[in-house]
Amino acid sequence: MTGLRFAVLGRLRAWHGDQALDLGPVRQQALLAALLLRPGVTFGKSELLDRVWGDEPPGTGVKVVPGYVFRLRRALAAAGVDADTVIASERGGYRFAADGIELDSVRLEEIAARGAEAGRAGDLAAAVELYSTALALYEGEPLDGLPGPFAEGERWRLTERRIVLSQEKVDWQLRLGWYTEAIDELSVLSAAHPRNETLAGLLMRAYYAAGRRADALEVFVKLRQRLVEELGMEPDAEVQQVHQAILRGDDALLGVTTRREEPVRRARVELPLDAGELAGRDRELAVLTAPVEDDAVTIAAVDGVAGAGKTALVVRAAQQLREQCPDGCLFVNLHGHSDGQPALAPSRVLRRLLRAVGVDDNQAMDDLDELSAHWRAATASLRLLLVLDDASGAEQVRPLLPAGPGSRVLVTSRRRLSGLDTARRVSLGPLDLEQAQDLLNRIVGGARAGREQAAVRELARLCGRLPLALRIAGARLQNRPMWTFEYLVSRLADDGSRLGELTAEDRSVEAAFRLSYEQLPAFEQRAFRMLGLAPTPELDRLALAALLGSSVAEAENALESLVDTSLLQQPAPGRYRPHDLVAVYARRLAAEEAPEVVEAARNAVLNLYIGAGRYASECGLASFPSGPDLDGVPFTGWRDSTAWLDQAGDLSDVVAYAVGVGRADQACWLAESVVDYLVRLSRYDECRAAVQLVLPLANQASDPRMPAAVRLYLGFAHAMPGYYDQAREWFTEALRISEHTGSGQEGARALAGIATLDVLAGRYEEPIERLSEALTLAGEYHDDWLAERAISTLGYLHHLNGRHEEALACFARSHALGEKVGNPSMVGRTLCYSGSVRLVMGDFAEAARCLRQGAEAAKEVSDGKLYVSCLTRLATAEQELGNLDVALELHQRALGQITDQTYGSLLTEVQERFAVTRRAADRRDSLRPGAPARL
């Protein structure tokens, strides 16, 4: 005996002894099924490919088959099985050796054969028992979820076998007078196979024999309606004969020897009297109580963070649904997350549920599958409402599902039960602020709360708008009449003591979070602790990978698992954030980490942001002569780094984090790294805030560049939106400090900045000397960014002095530098300059070409200021070329890009150019006969 067991009468599963085997993805499982269900037969690779993929083979063709076989053998070998003898290679193909291996479909036929023999011998009771044992082996749809023509054919074959065995068993039950049991079995089968006329005829006979003639006739009516509407045919002669016999009361034809009336079953209601006040969940309640089809069991799952009010919601929903489920309303706390109590075993719950519906559980066996089958049979004719509270996972819930059509199941869990097939899913987050305030008002009393509405709002915020925290806070105020809302707010304001304050007797927010945390695997626990060191409330897989020092895939898996356990929310694909109070708990756990762990995590995540900013800048890493080692940063250039920063939120928050944890060098490096990116996107306020934050730390940094560099970038942050006087002060200060600290590159850039401001102020002589000096220094420092800025400004000076050809020559040099660096922003800027000069020179076609390409480059890098400049000047070029409608459309697009961050001179330029084009269009339109005046 190999100790191997396989199950195909449900999901494909395998065990070696008690150890479950990982069979891999579904296509790999489908290949295993093709071998497993034809033991001893050798299949070539092409034949296996056809059986698994059918008419849609993979691009790799038969090459995929050996890979799947290799992985299957590896899974078997990992469990201690001699894999090469189980899946043998033979004549260029593969054969499954079934010797000593248990297969549930084989066991099914062995037991069924014994049952059939007992039936032929007249021992109908034994035959029913054996067939029941055989049918209990089914755990759902055979080969559930497996693709391919072979799996589909076997699924149909095994399903039909189940129906045939069930029909024979029910026929024996009717002959024995076991009508209730027959009805239970047939109700499940008929719901699964609503057009099967043989099953419908048996169910009609069973209802009639049990004294439920009306139900028997209703089965016929529904069957006929379904067949006529869906297939355009009447029921077959045999079913119609049963129908007529029921109408006549013909016991002999129906094979009924005795009929009896069923006792009236008293419905049992187990809902808790008080599951907490429901607040602000009207939409979710409507989802759970909406009408459903009455011919199937409807399952709804509610998940959410601890304390979100899941139990209160499903109990309220159950109260509203009670009338629709006349056979009982059952409630079970599964203790998936209970302090000091393990999750209830499904077998224990099943015994309790069987007793609740009046079935003697002493007759039930210990095997979970048989208990579950017994429960399904017992509920097949019942319409129940079952509430399963606090499930640990889908595997705890699946065996507990009833079988009666029209039954409803409401499940709550902190986990997202993705392994459970549900009709409806509801994920509970925090209440909105108004709902949270309303709950506090109701708990404490409107009169008392009305005097402190501002404090009530702040208390709701500090409680994270979480119902459990709000109820605890409200209870504390109830029990302490002398406390004001403002006083409790002051007690909760401290991050370190907030969770301790949110405790009342046996209710505790921290305890609820701890139970969820303690059930996580070790790696996910560590990931959760690292969330407490994240620099922003929201993060992604790259940030967590940096904090953990793990691979990106490992970090993403941990994040998704934390979402499944409701410890994280996912506000957008790839973005994750904890609930406010969960974040407090994560920070508390992170504070207990070893100092070296915290140090490494903070270094890595800050370097991630520094690397992103530097890669996203115009000249990339080459623009920054000093800084951290960025070898491990997962960016390759401006595209992926810019895309990541676009989703990273307010970068001044990250700088503030670095300042707050005392990282002077990293804070300064980060601030200078993101200036170019933020200015390009016209996020000027954020840019100034980020650099201003590090100004007090610049002299503390070990990098000697920082005192000058921080002031230099404050100059850029003020110059770009048009604050020229403040910019000049910062550039001058940076130049002065660089002369004392030896930060020559920063001094050269400051010199170029001052020269540019001189040009903008109308002073054209002094800048030439400064720009020439800056250009020389750019060559010494190999600073392409500085060189481009200096050459472009010189070109602008030539343009202002009417030397347009010299200006174009400068811009051509700048364009070449931009092409060398490979950054569209620099290229687009030089194209805009060249196009603007061409526009003044009257070379409108070439101007339009340059400006159009400049606009495309600006759009590619989301440079809003450059994009608007190119569009409005391109509109003027199109106007001069006679394309007035195109010009008007371009001006409209330019105006649509204007924001409150757009500086005044650019806005004025767009408005003035647009006005000129509008006047030209008005003149054209006025010359058209009968044309309406332009508004």
Side-chain angles (χ1 to χ4, degrees), residues 337 414 510-522 524-530 562 565 567 585-586 589-590 592-593:
H337 305 84
R414 297 185 191 182
E510 182 174 5
F513 293 160
R514 186 180 67 252
L515 288 169
S516 293
Y517 168 78
E518 289 176 347
Q519 292 191 10
L520 296 174
E524 289 169 22
Q525 286 187 352
R526 181 166 167 255
F528 181 79
R529 296 195 299 273
M530 289 301 101
L562 291 172
T565 57
L567 286 169
Y585 183 57
L589 294 179
E592 299 170 0
E593 289 284 341

PDB file of all heavy atoms in Angstrom, residues 337 414 510-522 524-530 562 565 567 585-586 589-590 592-593:
ATOM      1  N   HIS A 337     -12.843  33.637  16.102  1.00  0.00           N
ATOM      2  CA  HIS A 337     -11.886  34.577  16.683  1.00  0.00           C
ATOM      3  C   HIS A 337     -12.317  34.891  18.119  1.00  0.00           C
ATOM      4  O   HIS A 337     -12.649  36.021  18.457  1.00  0.00           O
ATOM      5  CB  HIS A 337     -11.818  35.869  15.867  1.00  0.00           C
ATOM      6  CG  HIS A 337     -11.502  35.649  14.423  1.00  0.00           C
ATOM      7  ND1 HIS A 337     -12.464  35.341  13.487  1.00  0.00           N
ATOM      8  CD2 HIS A 337     -10.320  35.670  13.751  1.00  0.00           C
ATOM      9  CE1 HIS A 337     -11.895  35.194  12.302  1.00  0.00           C
ATOM     10  NE2 HIS A 337     -10.602  35.386  12.429  1.00  0.00           N
ATOM     11  N   ARG A 414     -14.164  37.613   9.907  1.00  0.00           N
ATOM     12  CA  ARG A 414     -13.165  38.658   9.689  1.00  0.00           C
ATOM     13  C   ARG A 414     -12.395  38.419   8.403  1.00  0.00           C
ATOM     14  O   ARG A 414     -11.756  39.322   7.892  1.00  0.00           O
ATOM     15  CB  ARG A 414     -12.200  38.717  10.880  1.00  0.00           C
ATOM     16  CG  ARG A 414     -12.891  39.098  12.182  1.00  0.00           C
ATOM     17  CD  ARG A 414     -11.913  39.265  13.322  1.00  0.00           C
ATOM     18  NE  ARG A 414     -12.615  39.380  14.592  1.00  0.00           N
ATOM     19  CZ  ARG A 414     -12.028  39.568  15.762  1.00  0.00           C
ATOM     20  NH1 ARG A 414     -10.714  39.648  15.839  1.00  0.00           N
ATOM     21  NH2 ARG A 414     -12.740  39.657  16.873  1.00  0.00           N
ATOM     22  N   GLU A 510      -8.530  46.636  21.353  1.00  0.00           N
ATOM     23  CA  GLU A 510      -7.210  46.031  21.207  1.00  0.00           C
ATOM     24  C   GLU A 510      -7.291  44.506  21.253  1.00  0.00           C
ATOM     25  O   GLU A 510      -6.622  43.809  20.475  1.00  0.00           O
ATOM     26  CB  GLU A 510      -6.267  46.528  22.290  1.00  0.00           C
ATOM     27  CG  GLU A 510      -4.860  45.965  22.161  1.00  0.00           C
ATOM     28  CD  GLU A 510      -3.883  46.580  23.147  1.00  0.00           C
ATOM     29  OE1 GLU A 510      -4.308  47.373  24.009  1.00  0.00           O
ATOM     30  OE2 GLU A 510      -2.683  46.262  23.038  1.00  0.00           O
ATOM     31  N   ALA A 511      -8.114  43.965  22.163  1.00  0.00           N
ATOM     32  CA  ALA A 511      -8.253  42.506  22.247  1.00  0.00           C
ATOM     33  C   ALA A 511      -8.825  41.944  20.958  1.00  0.00           C
ATOM     34  O   ALA A 511      -8.412  40.876  20.490  1.00  0.00           O
ATOM     35  CB  ALA A 511      -9.139  42.139  23.428  1.00  0.00           C
ATOM     36  N   ALA A 512      -9.772  42.661  20.352  1.00  0.00           N
ATOM     37  CA  ALA A 512     -10.358  42.191  19.092  1.00  0.00           C
ATOM     38  C   ALA A 512      -9.304  42.156  17.994  1.00  0.00           C
ATOM     39  O   ALA A 512      -9.215  41.194  17.218  1.00  0.00           O
ATOM     40  CB  ALA A 512     -11.514  43.101  18.682  1.00  0.00           C
ATOM     41  N   PHE A 513      -8.468  43.190  17.924  1.00  0.00           N
ATOM     42  CA  PHE A 513      -7.404  43.203  16.922  1.00  0.00           C
ATOM     43  C   PHE A 513      -6.376  42.116  17.205  1.00  0.00           C
ATOM     44  O   PHE A 513      -5.847  41.478  16.284  1.00  0.00           O
ATOM     45  CB  PHE A 513      -6.710  44.562  16.901  1.00  0.00           C
ATOM     46  CG  PHE A 513      -7.575  45.690  16.409  1.00  0.00           C
ATOM     47  CD1 PHE A 513      -7.257  47.009  16.703  1.00  0.00           C
ATOM     48  CD2 PHE A 513      -8.703  45.445  15.647  1.00  0.00           C
ATOM     49  CE1 PHE A 513      -8.040  48.058  16.258  1.00  0.00           C
ATOM     50  CE2 PHE A 513      -9.501  46.489  15.191  1.00  0.00           C
ATOM     51  CZ  PHE A 513      -9.171  47.796  15.503  1.00  0.00           C
ATOM     52  N   ARG A 514      -6.071  41.911  18.496  1.00  0.00           N
ATOM     53  CA  ARG A 514      -5.045  40.935  18.848  1.00  0.00           C
ATOM     54  C   ARG A 514      -5.439  39.530  18.395  1.00  0.00           C
ATOM     55  O   ARG A 514      -4.611  38.753  17.919  1.00  0.00           O
ATOM     56  CB  ARG A 514      -4.798  40.951  20.356  1.00  0.00           C
ATOM     57  CG  ARG A 514      -3.633  40.055  20.790  1.00  0.00           C
ATOM     58  CD  ARG A 514      -3.400  40.076  22.280  1.00  0.00           C
ATOM     59  NE  ARG A 514      -4.500  39.471  23.014  1.00  0.00           N
ATOM     60  CZ  ARG A 514      -5.385  40.138  23.754  1.00  0.00           C
ATOM     61  NH1 ARG A 514      -5.294  41.454  23.865  1.00  0.00           N
ATOM     62  NH2 ARG A 514      -6.361  39.510  24.379  1.00  0.00           N
ATOM     63  N   LEU A 515      -6.720  39.193  18.535  1.00  0.00           N
ATOM     64  CA  LEU A 515      -7.170  37.865  18.115  1.00  0.00           C
ATOM     65  C   LEU A 515      -6.971  37.661  16.620  1.00  0.00           C
ATOM     66  O   LEU A 515      -6.564  36.586  16.169  1.00  0.00           O
ATOM     67  CB  LEU A 515      -8.642  37.677  18.486  1.00  0.00           C
ATOM     68  CG  LEU A 515      -8.926  37.507  19.982  1.00  0.00           C
ATOM     69  CD1 LEU A 515     -10.419  37.595  20.237  1.00  0.00           C
ATOM     70  CD2 LEU A 515      -8.379  36.174  20.469  1.00  0.00           C
ATOM     71  N   SER A 516      -7.260  38.700  15.835  1.00  0.00           N
ATOM     72  CA  SER A 516      -7.030  38.595  14.389  1.00  0.00           C
ATOM     73  C   SER A 516      -5.541  38.458  14.095  1.00  0.00           C
ATOM     74  O   SER A 516      -5.125  37.643  13.263  1.00  0.00           O
ATOM     75  CB  SER A 516      -7.583  39.833  13.675  1.00  0.00           C
ATOM     76  OG  SER A 516      -8.992  39.889  13.765  1.00  0.00           O
ATOM     77  N   TYR A 517      -4.727  39.235  14.783  1.00  0.00           N
ATOM     78  CA  TYR A 517      -3.276  39.208  14.555  1.00  0.00           C
ATOM     79  C   TYR A 517      -2.675  37.857  14.927  1.00  0.00           C
ATOM     80  O   TYR A 517      -1.845  37.305  14.186  1.00  0.00           O
ATOM     81  CB  TYR A 517      -2.632  40.333  15.366  1.00  0.00           C
ATOM     82  CG  TYR A 517      -1.127  40.255  15.451  1.00  0.00           C
ATOM     83  CD1 TYR A 517      -0.330  40.656  14.384  1.00  0.00           C
ATOM     84  CD2 TYR A 517      -0.504  39.790  16.602  1.00  0.00           C
ATOM     85  CE1 TYR A 517       1.054  40.592  14.454  1.00  0.00           C
ATOM     86  CE2 TYR A 517       0.879  39.720  16.690  1.00  0.00           C
ATOM     87  CZ  TYR A 517       1.650  40.121  15.616  1.00  0.00           C
ATOM     88  OH  TYR A 517       3.022  40.040  15.703  1.00  0.00           O
ATOM     89  N   GLU A 518      -3.100  37.305  16.043  1.00  0.00           N
ATOM     90  CA  GLU A 518      -2.485  36.066  16.533  1.00  0.00           C
ATOM     91  C   GLU A 518      -2.808  34.867  15.653  1.00  0.00           C
ATOM     92  O   GLU A 518      -2.114  33.852  15.715  1.00  0.00           O
ATOM     93  CB  GLU A 518      -2.916  35.801  17.981  1.00  0.00           C
ATOM     94  CG  GLU A 518      -2.276  36.774  18.968  1.00  0.00           C
ATOM     95  CD  GLU A 518      -2.768  36.578  20.390  1.00  0.00           C
ATOM     96  OE1 GLU A 518      -3.785  35.853  20.564  1.00  0.00           O
ATOM     97  OE2 GLU A 518      -2.165  37.146  21.315  1.00  0.00           O
ATOM     98  N   GLN A 519      -3.852  34.969  14.847  1.00  0.00           N
ATOM     99  CA  GLN A 519      -4.187  33.853  13.960  1.00  0.00           C
ATOM    100  C   GLN A 519      -3.450  33.924  12.623  1.00  0.00           C
ATOM    101  O   GLN A 519      -3.587  33.034  11.782  1.00  0.00           O
ATOM    102  CB  GLN A 519      -5.698  33.816  13.720  1.00  0.00           C
ATOM    103  CG  GLN A 519      -6.482  33.439  14.973  1.00  0.00           C
ATOM    104  CD  GLN A 519      -7.930  33.137  14.685  1.00  0.00           C
ATOM    105  OE1 GLN A 519      -8.336  33.025  13.542  1.00  0.00           O
ATOM    106  NE2 GLN A 519      -8.733  32.994  15.721  1.00  0.00           N
ATOM    107  N   LEU A 520      -2.637  34.963  12.433  1.00  0.00           N
ATOM    108  CA  LEU A 520      -1.885  35.087  11.188  1.00  0.00           C
ATOM    109  C   LEU A 520      -0.656  34.181  11.224  1.00  0.00           C
ATOM    110  O   LEU A 520      -0.066  33.959  12.280  1.00  0.00           O
ATOM    111  CB  LEU A 520      -1.413  36.535  10.997  1.00  0.00           C
ATOM    112  CG  LEU A 520      -2.474  37.621  10.834  1.00  0.00           C
ATOM    113  CD1 LEU A 520      -1.802  38.986  10.816  1.00  0.00           C
ATOM    114  CD2 LEU A 520      -3.270  37.410   9.550  1.00  0.00           C
ATOM    115  N   PRO A 521      -0.221  33.678  10.069  1.00  0.00           N
ATOM    116  CA  PRO A 521       1.080  32.996   9.999  1.00  0.00           C
ATOM    117  C   PRO A 521       2.203  33.965  10.378  1.00  0.00           C
ATOM    118  O   PRO A 521       2.026  35.192  10.336  1.00  0.00           O
ATOM    119  CB  PRO A 521       1.185  32.574   8.526  1.00  0.00           C
ATOM    120  CG  PRO A 521      -0.215  32.609   8.008  1.00  0.00           C
ATOM    121  CD  PRO A 521      -0.933  33.671   8.785  1.00  0.00           C
ATOM    122  N   ALA A 522       3.372  33.426  10.714  1.00  0.00           N
ATOM    123  CA  ALA A 522       4.467  34.237  11.239  1.00  0.00           C
ATOM    124  C   ALA A 522       4.875  35.349  10.275  1.00  0.00           C
ATOM    125  O   ALA A 522       5.101  36.496  10.690  1.00  0.00           O
ATOM    126  CB  ALA A 522       5.662  33.339  11.564  1.00  0.00           C
ATOM    127  N   GLU A 524       3.124  36.854   7.942  1.00  0.00           N
ATOM    128  CA  GLU A 524       2.093  37.889   7.858  1.00  0.00           C
ATOM    129  C   GLU A 524       2.030  38.699   9.148  1.00  0.00           C
ATOM    130  O   GLU A 524       1.723  39.895   9.120  1.00  0.00           O
ATOM    131  CB  GLU A 524       0.746  37.251   7.533  1.00  0.00           C
ATOM    132  CG  GLU A 524       0.686  36.729   6.103  1.00  0.00           C
ATOM    133  CD  GLU A 524      -0.531  35.866   5.842  1.00  0.00           C
ATOM    134  OE1 GLU A 524      -1.521  35.984   6.580  1.00  0.00           O
ATOM    135  OE2 GLU A 524      -0.474  35.045   4.905  1.00  0.00           O
ATOM    136  N   GLN A 525       2.315  38.088  10.286  1.00  0.00           N
ATOM    137  CA  GLN A 525       2.429  38.857  11.527  1.00  0.00           C
ATOM    138  C   GLN A 525       3.541  39.893  11.402  1.00  0.00           C
ATOM    139  O   GLN A 525       3.375  41.058  11.797  1.00  0.00           O
ATOM    140  CB  GLN A 525       2.702  37.930  12.709  1.00  0.00           C
ATOM    141  CG  GLN A 525       1.505  37.113  13.159  1.00  0.00           C
ATOM    142  CD  GLN A 525       1.791  36.345  14.432  1.00  0.00           C
ATOM    143  OE1 GLN A 525       2.920  36.286  14.914  1.00  0.00           O
ATOM    144  NE2 GLN A 525       0.760  35.733  14.992  1.00  0.00           N
ATOM    145  N   ARG A 526       4.684  39.466  10.859  1.00  0.00           N
ATOM    146  CA  ARG A 526       5.802  40.396  10.694  1.00  0.00           C
ATOM    147  C   ARG A 526       5.421  41.512   9.725  1.00  0.00           C
ATOM    148  O   ARG A 526       5.745  42.692   9.943  1.00  0.00           O
ATOM    149  CB  ARG A 526       7.029  39.645  10.197  1.00  0.00           C
ATOM    150  CG  ARG A 526       8.248  40.520  10.005  1.00  0.00           C
ATOM    151  CD  ARG A 526       9.527  39.707   9.850  1.00  0.00           C
ATOM    152  NE  ARG A 526      10.590  40.545   9.373  1.00  0.00           N
ATOM    153  CZ  ARG A 526      11.077  40.557   8.137  1.00  0.00           C
ATOM    154  NH1 ARG A 526      10.598  39.696   7.253  1.00  0.00           N
ATOM    155  NH2 ARG A 526      12.048  41.378   7.789  1.00  0.00           N
ATOM    156  N   ALA A 527       4.734  41.150   8.648  1.00  0.00           N
ATOM    157  CA  ALA A 527       4.288  42.165   7.688  1.00  0.00           C
ATOM    158  C   ALA A 527       3.353  43.165   8.365  1.00  0.00           C
ATOM    159  O   ALA A 527       3.453  44.376   8.127  1.00  0.00           O
ATOM    160  CB  ALA A 527       3.589  41.492   6.505  1.00  0.00           C
ATOM    161  N   PHE A 528       2.465  42.658   9.205  1.00  0.00           N
ATOM    162  CA  PHE A 528       1.543  43.554   9.903  1.00  0.00           C
ATOM    163  C   PHE A 528       2.311  44.502  10.815  1.00  0.00           C
ATOM    164  O   PHE A 528       2.007  45.698  10.884  1.00  0.00           O
ATOM    165  CB  PHE A 528       0.530  42.742  10.711  1.00  0.00           C
ATOM    166  CG  PHE A 528      -0.467  43.597  11.445  1.00  0.00           C
ATOM    167  CD1 PHE A 528      -1.545  44.151  10.786  1.00  0.00           C
ATOM    168  CD2 PHE A 528      -0.312  43.862  12.798  1.00  0.00           C
ATOM    169  CE1 PHE A 528      -2.457  44.961  11.446  1.00  0.00           C
ATOM    170  CE2 PHE A 528      -1.218  44.656  13.477  1.00  0.00           C
ATOM    171  CZ  PHE A 528      -2.297  45.211  12.790  1.00  0.00           C
ATOM    172  N   ARG A 529       3.314  43.997  11.515  1.00  0.00           N
ATOM    173  CA  ARG A 529       4.099  44.871  12.393  1.00  0.00           C
ATOM    174  C   ARG A 529       4.816  45.952  11.581  1.00  0.00           C
ATOM    175  O   ARG A 529       4.926  47.098  12.016  1.00  0.00           O
ATOM    176  CB  ARG A 529       5.116  44.054  13.192  1.00  0.00           C
ATOM    177  CG  ARG A 529       4.504  43.066  14.161  1.00  0.00           C
ATOM    178  CD  ARG A 529       5.518  42.555  15.158  1.00  0.00           C
ATOM    179  NE  ARG A 529       6.639  41.859  14.549  1.00  0.00           N
ATOM    180  CZ  ARG A 529       6.665  40.564  14.253  1.00  0.00           C
ATOM    181  NH1 ARG A 529       5.590  39.821  14.494  1.00  0.00           N
ATOM    182  NH2 ARG A 529       7.734  40.004  13.725  1.00  0.00           N
ATOM    183  N   MET A 530       5.293  45.579  10.403  1.00  0.00           N
ATOM    184  CA  MET A 530       5.997  46.550   9.570  1.00  0.00           C
ATOM    185  C   MET A 530       5.071  47.665   9.078  1.00  0.00           C
ATOM    186  O   MET A 530       5.531  48.769   8.768  1.00  0.00           O
ATOM    187  CB  MET A 530       6.642  45.850   8.379  1.00  0.00           C
ATOM    188  CG  MET A 530       7.842  44.979   8.731  1.00  0.00           C
ATOM    189  SD  MET A 530       9.213  45.872   9.533  1.00  0.00           S
ATOM    190  CE  MET A 530       8.938  45.412  11.254  1.00  0.00           C
ATOM    191  N   LEU A 562      -3.654  39.960   4.304  1.00  0.00           N
ATOM    192  CA  LEU A 562      -4.132  40.890   5.333  1.00  0.00           C
ATOM    193  C   LEU A 562      -5.448  41.540   4.911  1.00  0.00           C
ATOM    194  O   LEU A 562      -6.279  41.870   5.765  1.00  0.00           O
ATOM    195  CB  LEU A 562      -3.067  41.952   5.616  1.00  0.00           C
ATOM    196  CG  LEU A 562      -1.801  41.435   6.313  1.00  0.00           C
ATOM    197  CD1 LEU A 562      -0.735  42.521   6.371  1.00  0.00           C
ATOM    198  CD2 LEU A 562      -2.121  40.932   7.723  1.00  0.00           C
ATOM    199  N   THR A 565      -8.104  39.001   5.714  1.00  0.00           N
ATOM    200  CA  THR A 565      -8.420  38.918   7.138  1.00  0.00           C
ATOM    201  C   THR A 565      -8.994  40.231   7.666  1.00  0.00           C
ATOM    202  O   THR A 565      -9.183  40.382   8.865  1.00  0.00           O
ATOM    203  CB  THR A 565      -7.166  38.560   7.954  1.00  0.00           C
ATOM    204  OG1 THR A 565      -6.142  39.523   7.708  1.00  0.00           O
ATOM    205  CG2 THR A 565      -6.643  37.184   7.584  1.00  0.00           C
ATOM    206  N   LEU A 567      -7.689  43.055   8.031  1.00  0.00           N
ATOM    207  CA  LEU A 567      -6.767  43.938   8.747  1.00  0.00           C
ATOM    208  C   LEU A 567      -6.273  45.059   7.832  1.00  0.00           C
ATOM    209  O   LEU A 567      -5.686  46.027   8.307  1.00  0.00           O
ATOM    210  CB  LEU A 567      -5.577  43.135   9.286  1.00  0.00           C
ATOM    211  CG  LEU A 567      -5.905  42.264  10.497  1.00  0.00           C
ATOM    212  CD1 LEU A 567      -4.759  41.311  10.815  1.00  0.00           C
ATOM    213  CD2 LEU A 567      -6.229  43.117  11.719  1.00  0.00           C
ATOM    214  N   TYR A 585      -2.718  50.046  16.347  1.00  0.00           N
ATOM    215  CA  TYR A 585      -2.276  48.758  16.904  1.00  0.00           C
ATOM    216  C   TYR A 585      -0.985  48.289  16.229  1.00  0.00           C
ATOM    217  O   TYR A 585      -0.064  47.788  16.894  1.00  0.00           O
ATOM    218  CB  TYR A 585      -3.383  47.721  16.731  1.00  0.00           C
ATOM    219  CG  TYR A 585      -3.058  46.371  17.331  1.00  0.00           C
ATOM    220  CD1 TYR A 585      -2.728  46.243  18.677  1.00  0.00           C
ATOM    221  CD2 TYR A 585      -3.079  45.221  16.548  1.00  0.00           C
ATOM    222  CE1 TYR A 585      -2.430  45.010  19.232  1.00  0.00           C
ATOM    223  CE2 TYR A 585      -2.781  43.981  17.085  1.00  0.00           C
ATOM    224  CZ  TYR A 585      -2.457  43.880  18.437  1.00  0.00           C
ATOM    225  OH  TYR A 585      -2.151  42.662  18.983  1.00  0.00           O
ATOM    226  N   ALA A 586      -0.893  48.477  14.913  1.00  0.00           N
ATOM    227  CA  ALA A 586       0.334  48.095  14.201  1.00  0.00           C
ATOM    228  C   ALA A 586       1.519  48.914  14.701  1.00  0.00           C
ATOM    229  O   ALA A 586       2.627  48.386  14.874  1.00  0.00           O
ATOM    230  CB  ALA A 586       0.145  48.290  12.699  1.00  0.00           C
ATOM    231  N   LEU A 589       2.723  47.510  18.011  1.00  0.00           N
ATOM    232  CA  LEU A 589       3.528  46.295  17.850  1.00  0.00           C
ATOM    233  C   LEU A 589       4.902  46.623  17.274  1.00  0.00           C
ATOM    234  O   LEU A 589       5.910  46.028  17.663  1.00  0.00           O
ATOM    235  CB  LEU A 589       2.802  45.306  16.941  1.00  0.00           C
ATOM    236  CG  LEU A 589       1.493  44.711  17.482  1.00  0.00           C
ATOM    237  CD1 LEU A 589       0.880  43.779  16.446  1.00  0.00           C
ATOM    238  CD2 LEU A 589       1.715  43.960  18.787  1.00  0.00           C
ATOM    239  N   ALA A 590       4.941  47.575  16.324  1.00  0.00           N
ATOM    240  CA  ALA A 590       6.220  47.937  15.713  1.00  0.00           C
ATOM    241  C   ALA A 590       7.168  48.546  16.734  1.00  0.00           C
ATOM    242  O   ALA A 590       8.389  48.371  16.649  1.00  0.00           O
ATOM    243  CB  ALA A 590       5.981  48.916  14.566  1.00  0.00           C
ATOM    244  N   GLU A 592       7.706  47.564  19.566  1.00  0.00           N
ATOM    245  CA  GLU A 592       8.330  46.500  20.348  1.00  0.00           C
ATOM    246  C   GLU A 592       9.414  45.765  19.561  1.00  0.00           C
ATOM    247  O   GLU A 592      10.068  44.857  20.090  1.00  0.00           O
ATOM    248  CB  GLU A 592       7.255  45.504  20.806  1.00  0.00           C
ATOM    249  CG  GLU A 592       6.180  46.136  21.692  1.00  0.00           C
ATOM    250  CD  GLU A 592       5.001  45.207  21.948  1.00  0.00           C
ATOM    251  OE1 GLU A 592       5.028  44.066  21.435  1.00  0.00           O
ATOM    252  OE2 GLU A 592       4.060  45.623  22.648  1.00  0.00           O
ATOM    253  N   GLU A 593       9.598  46.125  18.274  1.00  0.00           N
ATOM    254  CA  GLU A 593      10.621  45.482  17.462  1.00  0.00           C
ATOM    255  C   GLU A 593      12.025  45.884  17.943  1.00  0.00           C
ATOM    256  O   GLU A 593      12.215  46.951  18.544  1.00  0.00           O
ATOM    257  CB  GLU A 593      10.463  45.883  15.992  1.00  0.00           C
ATOM    258  CG  GLU A 593       9.266  45.285  15.297  1.00  0.00           C
ATOM    259  CD  GLU A 593       9.462  43.817  14.949  1.00  0.00           C
ATOM    260  OE1 GLU A 593      10.619  43.352  14.922  1.00  0.00           O
ATOM    261  OE2 GLU A 593       8.459  43.132  14.715  1.00  0.00           O
TER     262      GLU A 593
END
